[in-house]
Amino acid sequence: MSEQPPNDPRRSIQADAINARPLPKRFYKDVTIGGDGPFAILLDGRIAKTPSKKVVAVESQTLAKDVAAEWAAQTGVINPATMPLTTLVITAIDAVAGREADVAAEIVRYAGSDLMCYRAEGPAKLVTRQAELWDPVLAWAASDLGARFVLGEGVVHVAQSPGSIAAIARAIDGIPALPLAALHVMTTLTGSALLAIALQAEGMEAVSYAGWQLPIKTNSAYTKARIESIDD
């Protein structure tokens, strides 16, 4: 997998959050939503704005309530690290809307070196586990998208057919900014455009785990760690 990961449209949003020291104090008491769709986030009755001074609003009332709950949960200061939905919405508004084609192209580039296509040489349990969990994703891409991907072992880049890459591009063409932003986040977090597209297309829920939560033991070589065993 020699290709460099594409640029992340969240970068400017995250950079603003990281560089803004100290964190801003909570300046509002009440958080509500307003409008009949799109639904805006209101702070003490005033419309919340993005860093680019755009209205923080979404089409889904359920999502608006969840975003409002993140604002309401802030105590003392406003910490973007505890507001993943707000960050996603703001990213979609400020960094994705108006450049959907560019963001989609970045996702398609991930498909060219998709994690699902790079398999371990060992141990045997890992090889089996990858096949059990990843092969269905590839089978879905082949049957539903007409995209057939070639597998390889290790990290040496495996070229995929132009037809398969084009099929991925067609699958995400025309996706609106917010779901496209979510798709981009899933792709960059997992290293797999195929997995992200499958999860979104099938409406599946995804669960994020930290490394220590997984039953996988590696050696102590930092950045070059190799898997030694996988517990059931």
Side-chain angles (χ1 to χ4, degrees):
M1 294 182 290
S2 61
E3 294 184 359
Q4 294 297 316
N7 294 328
D8 191 335
R10 297 171 296 167
R11 180 177 299 170
S12 62
I13 304 298
Q14 293 171 334
D16 289 344
I18 292 172
N19 294 329
R21 294 292 185 266
L23 292 173
K25 294 182 179 180
R26 174 167 172 163
F27 57 87
Y28 54 89
K29 292 182 179 180
D30 299 320
V31 184
T32 55
I33 60 175
D36 297 322
F39 299 92
I41 306 302
L42 305 179
L43 307 177
D44 291 338
R46 298 175 179 270
I47 297 176
K49 298 291 184 67
T50 72
S52 296
K53 307 302 181 183
K54 297 176 182 177
V55 175
V56 179
V58 294
E59 296 293 339
S60 166
Q61 187 176 30
T62 299
L63 177 57
K65 289 179 178 179
D66 290 339
V67 171
E70 290 184 343
W71 286 89
Q74 301 304 299
T75 56
V77 296
I78 303 172
N79 185 358
T82 65
M83 306 169 75
L85 291 177
T86 299
T87 300
L88 177 63
V89 168
I90 291 176
T91 297
I93 295 170
D94 275 0
V96 177
R99 59 181 298 263
E100 288 88 349
D102 292 337
V103 175
E106 292 170 3
I107 295 171
V108 172
R109 282 196 288 274
Y110 265 91
S113 56
D114 200 279
L115 177 68
M116 300 284 106
C117 299
Y118 294 85
R119 304 300 175 89
E121 300 175 5
K125 182 176 283 189
L126 175 59
V127 174
T128 300
R129 188 72 62 86
Q130 286 180 336
E132 290 175 349
L133 298 178
W134 295 359
D135 284 359
V137 176
L138 294 175
W140 174 86
S143 63
D144 285 37
L145 305 181
R148 291 172 172 79
F149 283 78
V150 180
L151 304 185
E153 290 185 347
V155 295
V156 178
H157 179 66
V158 178
Q160 303 297 338
S161 72
S164 293
I165 300 301
I168 296 301
R170 289 193 298 271
I172 63 175
D173 182 47
I175 295 179
L178 182 55
L180 187 63
L183 186 63
H184 191 280
V185 170
M186 287 190 288
T187 298
T188 56
L189 287 178
T190 63
S192 174
L194 297 179
L195 179 59
I197 294 168
L199 287 171
Q200 191 173 78
E202 298 298 313
M204 299 177 183
E205 292 186 358
V207 179
S208 177
Y209 291 101
W212 62 268
Q213 294 175 296
L214 301 177
I216 299 175
K217 296 180 181 178
T218 66
N219 59 26
S220 59
Y222 181 66
T223 74
K224 296 182 180 180
R226 297 184 65 85
I227 293 175
E228 296 180 338
S229 64
I230 302 176
D231 299 331
D232 293 325

